[in-house]
Each structure stands twice: as structure tokens, then as C-alpha cells.
Amino acid sequence: FNKDAKRVSFNEELRIVTTPVLIPDQLIYRNQNGKEFYLVALKEDVTAIYNKFVKDANFNKLNLMHDAENLVGSKAHLYEIFLSDERRGISAPKDFSDLPNNTWFASYKINDDEMWNDIKDGKINGVSIEGFLSFETMENEADIEMQLDEMLEQLTKILNNTKWAQ
């Protein structure tokens, strides 16, 4: 829950925390084995990942820090998930009105006092989805050039749709 980006909303009375899970066209930093790079989930990627999550019934497969041994158990459960979708009249929550259409949101009901306090104190500071991604190794220069052209096109779209702070 990145405080600088105001990416979390708390309902104190109900002990529910709401946050975006995956935001279309947002750069996602990764460092794997010393190799730094960014991933970008396009709108169609967000929809596909969301649909797979729902289809596979991954609603309460919650753990801390991607540790399958550190299960959340009864401390918290998924309260709701949805994609913002202007075509269907589903808006982003008011605290997240700056986020693009097709953002995946999740709300979690926190049942445990210690976990609630850890979230409020910033000791638990985000949500993440686990996925198995594959990377293609490109050796042909023409393939690399084509991929770079596609990346430049996507980055241009992202930059053109970004609201810059003044």
C-alpha cells in the first residue's frame, strides 16, 4: 500500500481495506537475478489475468510476502474484487478516480487485530498477485527490432495517457 501514491483506502468501521491490484499501462519494476526491467500490463492483459484469477477460484489463497507457508488463514479474506468498466457503469472507487478504466480492485476484510494494526502501521504495505510468466529469448535482430518498435508504440500510448503532476 504505497502511501506516496495513495493506493489504499481504509474503512475503519468495517475493517476493510481497498486497493488496486493491477493497473493497466503502469510500469512495474522487476529485478530478477540482477537483471532490471519493467513489465506493463495492457488493458487486455488485466482482463485476462482477472478472468483467470476468478475462473481458478483463487479468492482466498492469501499468504504474506509470497510465502506459501505463511498463510493468512482466518486473519483476512477477500471481500470483493472488480474491474472498473465505464461501458458497464462500474467506476473506480472515489479515492482512486485518477486510475485508468479497467483497473482491477480488491477489498479485504481484516478479522485480526494484529494484522489490522500492521496494515495501518505500514508493516504490511501492499498486495500482489502471483503468476508464472515466461520470457522469450530473442536472438534474431529483426525480432528484437520489431519488439522494440512495439514497446515504443506502447510507451508512447502510456505517455500520451498519463496525467503529469505540475
Side-chain angles (χ1 to χ4, degrees), residues 4 6 21 48 62 80 82 85 92 102 122 130-131 134-135 138 140 142 150 162:
D4 295 332
K6 184 73 170 84
V21 175
L62 303 175
E80 65 189 347
F82 63 94
D85 187 343
N102 219 61
E130 294 180 357
S134 62
F135 298 95
M138 293 181 287
N140 179 326
E150 287 179 24
T162 300

Side-chain angles (χ1 to χ4, degrees), residues 6-159:
K6 184 73 170 84
R7 297 296 183 229
V8 62
S9 176
F10 297 98
N11 182 308
E12 296 278 349
E13 179 184 351
L14 299 175
R15 288 179 108 178
I16 293 175
V17 59
T18 300
T19 186
V21 175
L22 194 55
I23 303 169
D25 301 327
Q26 176 178 294
L27 294 176
I28 305 167
Y29 172 78
R30 290 289 178 259
N31 183 332
Q32 290 185 335
N33 303 321
K35 294 183 181 183
E36 297 181 315
F37 58 96
Y38 289 92
L39 299 174
V40 175
L42 305 176
K43 286 182 181 181
E44 54 271 17
D45 298 327
V46 174
T47 299
I49 295 167
Y50 175 87
N51 283 324
K52 180 164 178 37
F53 179 88
V54 172
K55 181 179 176 249
D56 293 349
N58 288 317
F59 305 111
N60 286 313
K61 295 179 181 176
L62 303 175
N63 63 54
L64 293 175
M65 302 305 294
H66 295 283
D67 179 357
E69 302 298 317
N70 194 359
L71 298 176
V72 171
S74 63
K75 294 179 182 180
H77 66 271
L78 184 66
Y79 185 78
E80 65 189 347
I81 60 170
F82 63 94
L83 292 174
S84 60
D85 187 343
E86 293 169 358
R87 295 172 305 163
R88 297 181 51 229
I90 302 172
S91 301
K94 66 180 178 180
D95 288 341
F96 306 105
S97 61
D98 63 315
L99 295 181
N101 190 45
N102 219 61
T103 296
W104 174 358
F105 291 95
S107 297
Y108 294 90
K109 171 79 168 137
I110 310 303
N111 305 309
D112 179 78
D113 292 338
E114 183 179 354
M115 179 175 271
W116 180 252
N117 290 329
D118 285 349
I119 291 169
K120 295 291 292 179
D121 293 342
K123 293 177 185 172
I124 299 174
N125 59 10
V127 298
S128 179
I129 54 173
E130 294 180 357
F132 297 100
L133 304 175
S134 62
F135 298 95
E136 292 182 23
T137 302
M138 293 181 287
E139 302 198 17
N140 179 326
E141 192 170 318
D143 287 342
I144 294 170
E145 190 67 33
M146 185 177 71
Q147 288 294 319
L148 287 173
D149 287 344
E150 287 179 24
M151 288 171 30
L152 180 59
E153 181 180 328
Q154 292 302 323
L155 285 172
T156 300
K157 286 180 185 177
I158 292 168
L159 292 173

